[in-house]
CSV table of all heavy atoms in Angstrom, one decimal:
chain,number,residue,atom,x,y,z
A,55,VAL,N,5.3,-6.5,-10.6
A,55,VAL,CA,4.4,-5.7,-9.9
A,55,VAL,C,2.9,-6.1,-10.3
A,55,VAL,O,2.6,-6.0,-11.5
A,55,VAL,CB,4.6,-4.2,-10.0
A,55,VAL,CG1,3.6,-3.4,-9.3
A,55,VAL,CG2,6.0,-3.9,-9.5
A,56,TYR,N,2.1,-6.5,-9.4
A,56,TYR,CA,0.7,-6.9,-9.6
A,56,TYR,C,-0.2,-5.8,-9.0
A,56,TYR,O,-0.1,-5.6,-7.8
A,56,TYR,CB,0.4,-8.3,-9.0
A,56,TYR,CG,-1.0,-8.8,-9.3
A,56,TYR,CD1,-1.2,-9.6,-10.4
A,56,TYR,CD2,-2.1,-8.4,-8.5
A,56,TYR,CE1,-2.5,-10.0,-10.7
A,56,TYR,CE2,-3.3,-8.9,-8.8
A,56,TYR,CZ,-3.5,-9.7,-9.9
A,56,TYR,OH,-4.8,-10.1,-10.2
A,57,GLU,N,-1.0,-5.2,-9.8
A,57,GLU,CA,-1.9,-4.2,-9.4
A,57,GLU,C,-3.2,-4.8,-8.8
A,57,GLU,O,-3.9,-5.4,-9.6
A,57,GLU,CB,-2.2,-3.2,-10.5
A,57,GLU,CG,-3.1,-2.1,-10.2
A,57,GLU,CD,-2.3,-0.8,-10.0
A,57,GLU,OE1,-1.2,-0.7,-10.5
A,57,GLU,OE2,-2.9,0.1,-9.4
A,58,LEU,N,-3.5,-4.6,-7.6
A,58,LEU,CA,-4.8,-5.1,-7.0
A,58,LEU,C,-5.9,-4.1,-7.4
A,58,LEU,O,-5.6,-2.9,-7.6
A,58,LEU,CB,-4.7,-5.2,-5.5
A,58,LEU,CG,-3.8,-6.3,-4.9
A,58,LEU,CD1,-3.8,-6.2,-3.4
A,58,LEU,CD2,-4.4,-7.7,-5.3
A,59,PRO,N,-7.1,-4.6,-7.4
A,59,PRO,CA,-8.2,-3.6,-7.6
A,59,PRO,C,-8.3,-2.6,-6.5
A,59,PRO,O,-8.0,-3.0,-5.3
A,59,PRO,CB,-9.5,-4.5,-7.6
A,59,PRO,CG,-9.0,-5.9,-7.9
A,59,PRO,CD,-7.6,-6.0,-7.3
A,60,ALA,N,-8.7,-1.4,-6.7
A,60,ALA,CA,-8.9,-0.4,-5.7
A,60,ALA,C,-9.9,-0.9,-4.7
A,60,ALA,O,-10.9,-1.5,-5.0
A,60,ALA,CB,-9.3,0.9,-6.3
A,61,VAL,N,-9.7,-0.5,-3.4
A,61,VAL,CA,-10.6,-0.9,-2.3
A,61,VAL,C,-11.2,0.5,-1.8
A,61,VAL,O,-10.4,1.4,-1.5
A,61,VAL,CB,-9.9,-1.7,-1.2
A,61,VAL,CG1,-10.8,-1.8,0.0
A,61,VAL,CG2,-9.5,-3.0,-1.8
A,81,ILE,N,-8.0,2.9,-1.2
A,81,ILE,CA,-6.6,2.4,-1.2
A,81,ILE,C,-6.3,1.6,-2.4
A,81,ILE,O,-7.1,0.8,-2.8
A,81,ILE,CB,-6.3,1.7,0.1
A,81,ILE,CG1,-4.8,1.3,0.3
A,81,ILE,CG2,-7.1,0.4,0.2
A,81,ILE,CD1,-4.5,0.8,1.6
A,82,ASN,N,-5.2,2.0,-3.1
A,82,ASN,CA,-4.7,1.2,-4.2
A,82,ASN,C,-3.4,0.6,-3.9
A,82,ASN,O,-2.5,1.3,-3.5
A,82,ASN,CB,-4.5,2.2,-5.4
A,82,ASN,CG,-5.8,2.6,-6.1
A,82,ASN,OD1,-6.6,1.8,-6.4
A,82,ASN,ND2,-6.0,3.9,-6.2
A,83,LEU,N,-3.4,-0.7,-4.0
A,83,LEU,CA,-2.1,-1.5,-3.6
A,83,LEU,C,-1.5,-2.2,-4.8
A,83,LEU,O,-2.2,-2.5,-5.7
A,83,LEU,CB,-2.5,-2.5,-2.6
A,83,LEU,CG,-3.0,-2.1,-1.2
A,83,LEU,CD1,-3.4,-3.3,-0.4
A,83,LEU,CD2,-1.9,-1.2,-0.5
A,84,GLN,N,-0.2,-2.3,-4.7
A,84,GLN,CA,0.5,-3.1,-5.7
A,84,GLN,C,1.3,-4.1,-4.9
A,84,GLN,O,1.8,-3.9,-3.9
A,84,GLN,CB,1.4,-2.3,-6.6
A,84,GLN,CG,0.7,-1.2,-7.4
A,84,GLN,CD,1.7,-0.3,-8.1
A,84,GLN,OE1,2.7,0.0,-7.6
A,84,GLN,NE2,1.3,0.1,-9.3
A,85,LEU,N,1.4,-5.3,-5.5
A,85,LEU,CA,2.2,-6.4,-4.8
A,85,LEU,C,3.4,-6.7,-5.6
A,85,LEU,O,3.4,-6.7,-6.9
A,85,LEU,CB,1.3,-7.7,-4.8
A,85,LEU,CG,0.0,-7.6,-4.1
A,85,LEU,CD1,-0.7,-8.9,-4.2
A,85,LEU,CD2,0.1,-7.0,-2.7
A,103,ILE,N,-7.6,-12.2,-0.4
A,103,ILE,CA,-6.7,-11.1,-0.3
A,103,ILE,C,-7.5,-9.8,-0.1
A,103,ILE,O,-7.2,-9.0,0.8
A,103,ILE,CB,-5.8,-11.0,-1.5
A,103,ILE,CG1,-4.8,-12.1,-1.5
A,103,ILE,CG2,-5.0,-9.6,-1.6
A,103,ILE,CD1,-4.0,-12.3,-2.8
A,104,MET,N,-8.5,-9.6,-1.0
A,104,MET,CA,-9.3,-8.3,-0.9
A,104,MET,C,-10.0,-8.2,0.4
A,104,MET,O,-10.1,-7.2,1.0
A,104,MET,CB,-10.2,-8.2,-2.1
A,104,MET,CG,-9.5,-8.2,-3.4
A,104,MET,SD,-8.2,-6.9,-3.6
A,104,MET,CE,-9.2,-5.5,-3.5
A,107,VAL,N,-7.6,-7.1,3.0
A,107,VAL,CA,-7.3,-5.7,2.9
A,107,VAL,C,-8.4,-4.9,3.5
A,107,VAL,O,-8.2,-3.9,4.3
A,107,VAL,CB,-7.0,-5.3,1.4
A,107,VAL,CG1,-7.0,-3.8,1.2
A,107,VAL,CG2,-5.8,-6.0,0.9
A,111,VAL,N,-8.1,-2.3,6.8
A,111,VAL,CA,-8.4,-0.9,6.6
A,111,VAL,C,-9.5,-0.5,7.6
A,111,VAL,O,-9.4,0.6,8.2
A,111,VAL,CB,-8.7,-0.5,5.2
A,111,VAL,CG1,-9.2,0.9,5.0
A,111,VAL,CG2,-7.5,-0.8,4.3
A,128,LEU,N,0.4,-0.5,9.1
A,128,LEU,CA,-0.6,-1.1,8.3
A,128,LEU,C,0.0,-1.9,7.1
A,128,LEU,O,-0.5,-3.0,6.8
A,128,LEU,CB,-1.5,0.0,7.7
A,128,LEU,CG,-2.6,-0.4,6.7
A,128,LEU,CD1,-3.6,-1.4,7.3
A,128,LEU,CD2,-3.3,0.8,6.2
A,129,LYS,N,1.0,-1.4,6.5
A,129,LYS,CA,1.7,-2.1,5.4
A,129,LYS,C,2.2,-3.4,5.9
A,129,LYS,O,2.1,-4.4,5.2
A,129,LYS,CB,2.8,-1.2,4.9
A,129,LYS,CG,3.5,-1.7,3.7
A,129,LYS,CD,4.6,-0.7,3.3
A,129,LYS,CE,5.3,-1.1,2.0
A,129,LYS,NZ,6.3,-0.1,1.6
A,132,LEU,N,-0.8,-5.8,6.3
A,132,LEU,CA,-1.3,-6.2,5.0
A,132,LEU,C,-0.4,-7.2,4.4
A,132,LEU,O,-0.9,-8.2,3.9
A,132,LEU,CB,-1.5,-5.0,4.1
A,132,LEU,CG,-2.6,-4.0,4.4
A,132,LEU,CD1,-2.5,-2.7,3.6
A,132,LEU,CD2,-3.9,-4.7,4.2
A,136,ILE,N,-1.8,-10.8,3.4
A,136,ILE,CA,-1.8,-11.2,2.0
A,136,ILE,C,-0.9,-12.4,1.7
A,136,ILE,O,-1.2,-13.3,1.0
A,136,ILE,CB,-1.3,-10.0,1.1
A,136,ILE,CG1,-2.4,-8.9,1.2
A,136,ILE,CG2,-1.1,-10.4,-0.3
A,136,ILE,CD1,-2.0,-7.6,0.6
A,148,VAL,N,4.6,-5.0,-0.4
A,148,VAL,CA,3.3,-4.3,-0.6
A,148,VAL,C,3.6,-2.8,-0.8
A,148,VAL,O,4.2,-2.2,0.0
A,148,VAL,CB,2.3,-4.5,0.5
A,148,VAL,CG1,1.0,-3.8,0.3
A,148,VAL,CG2,2.0,-6.0,0.7
A,149,LEU,N,3.1,-2.3,-2.0
A,149,LEU,CA,3.3,-0.9,-2.3
A,149,LEU,C,2.0,-0.2,-2.2
A,149,LEU,O,1.0,-0.7,-2.8
A,149,LEU,CB,3.9,-0.8,-3.7
A,149,LEU,CG,5.2,-1.5,-4.0
A,149,LEU,CD1,5.6,-1.4,-5.4
A,149,LEU,CD2,6.3,-1.0,-3.1
A,150,PHE,N,2.0,1.0,-1.6
A,150,PHE,CA,0.8,1.9,-1.6
A,150,PHE,C,0.9,2.8,-2.8
A,150,PHE,O,1.8,3.6,-2.9
A,150,PHE,CB,0.7,2.7,-0.4
A,150,PHE,CG,0.4,2.0,0.9
A,150,PHE,CD1,1.3,1.7,1.8
A,150,PHE,CD2,-0.9,1.5,1.1
A,150,PHE,CE1,1.0,1.0,3.0
A,150,PHE,CE2,-1.2,0.8,2.2
A,150,PHE,CZ,-0.3,0.6,3.2
A,151,ARG,N,0.0,2.5,-3.8
A,151,ARG,CA,0.0,3.4,-4.9
A,151,ARG,C,-0.6,4.8,-4.5
A,151,ARG,O,-0.1,5.8,-4.8
A,151,ARG,CB,-0.8,2.8,-6.1
A,151,ARG,CG,-0.6,3.5,-7.4
A,151,ARG,CD,-1.0,2.7,-8.5
A,151,ARG,NE,-1.4,3.6,-9.5
A,151,ARG,CZ,-2.7,3.6,-10.0
A,151,ARG,NH1,-3.5,2.7,-9.7
A,151,ARG,NH2,-3.0,4.5,-10.9
A,152,ASP,N,-1.7,4.7,-3.7
A,152,ASP,CA,-2.2,5.9,-3.1
A,152,ASP,C,-3.2,5.5,-2.0
A,152,ASP,O,-3.8,4.4,-2.0
A,152,ASP,CB,-2.8,6.9,-4.1
A,152,ASP,CG,-4.1,6.4,-4.8
A,152,ASP,OD1,-4.3,5.2,-4.8
A,152,ASP,OD2,-4.8,7.2,-5.4
A,153,ILE,N,-3.4,6.4,-1.1
A,153,ILE,CA,-4.4,6.3,0.0
A,153,ILE,C,-5.2,7.6,0.0
A,153,ILE,O,-4.6,8.7,0.1
A,153,ILE,CB,-3.8,6.1,1.4
A,153,ILE,CG1,-3.0,4.8,1.4
A,153,ILE,CG2,-4.9,6.0,2.4
A,153,ILE,CD1,-2.2,4.6,2.7
Side-chain angles (χ1 to χ4, degrees):
V55 177
Y56 184 93
E57 182 103 15
L58 288 177
V61 170
I81 186 167
N82 286 307
L83 296 176
Q84 296 174 326
L85 306 180
I103 290 170
M104 298 308 290
V107 171
V111 172
L128 174 61
K129 186 177 183 178
L132 287 171
I136 292 170
V148 175
L149 305 172
F150 288 106
R151 197 161 145 240
D152 65 346
I153 300 173

